[in-house]
Amino acid sequence: MARSIMEVAFLSAEKVEFDNVKLVKLFVGDEPDGKRDLGISILSMNVAEEALDEVWAACEGLDVLEPIRVTTEIERGSKNTGKFIVLHVEPVKAATAQAHKPTQQSAQQPAKPAGTQPEPAKAN
């Protein structure tokens, strides 16, 4: 199976429970193709059984149309079509903030001179 990571707009998550079966479905939006959809292209993906609670919890605080990063596995479906199975969801803003955090800290710290260099003379 192939893995894919995509950034899309969050629309909704749906949880269904019946006869001891628990399902979560994720609905996301993508750029419209201009032929079949004009506003937003809606994509529905099932969530992997082992990731149901994690994905549901990750979606609880999301706003509609908020950019999210979705990690999926692509399974072969009927007629050789691919089925996206969601493994992980995270908001793009949180992932971006964590990625830039170490860079911001190192930029704020003054550079320490290497070795023993005398301090420059101060003008009076």
Side-chain angles (χ1 to χ4, degrees):
M1 286 182 248
R3 285 209 175 183
S4 175
I5 297 175
M6 62 182 100
E7 289 185 7
V8 290
F10 172 76
L11 295 178
S12 179
E14 178 181 86
K15 185 191 285 188
V16 178
E17 295 184 48
F18 61 93
D19 296 336
N20 295 326
V21 175
K22 191 171 169 184
L23 301 171
V24 173
K25 190 171 273 206
L26 180 66
F27 296 92
V28 297
D30 199 5
E31 295 292 322
D33 64 5
K35 297 174 188 171
R36 292 179 305 262
D37 29 54
L38 297 173
I40 193 166
S41 177
I42 299 172
L43 183 62
S44 163
M45 296 182 275
N46 291 325
V47 177
E49 188 174 335
E50 62 273 7
L52 293 174
D53 295 329
E54 176 194 344
V55 170
W56 182 259
C59 292
E60 282 183 320
L62 297 174
D63 294 323
V64 174
L65 297 179
E66 180 175 339
I68 58 173
R69 186 168 292 124
V70 181
T71 304
T72 63
E73 257 184 5
I74 305 168
E75 292 183 353
R76 183 172 286 187
S78 62
K79 299 181 183 178
N80 289 330
T81 59
K83 294 190 317 184
F84 291 98
I85 307 299
V86 178
L87 302 174
H88 180 73
V89 171
E90 65 184 23
V92 170
K93 65 182 176 189
T96 305
Q98 288 176 357
H100 292 298
K101 195 172 185 178
T103 306
Q104 290 173 351
Q105 288 177 351
S106 62
Q108 292 173 357
Q109 294 175 351
K112 294 180 182 177
T116 56
Q117 299 175 354
E119 290 188 26
K122 295 181 182 178
N124 290 339

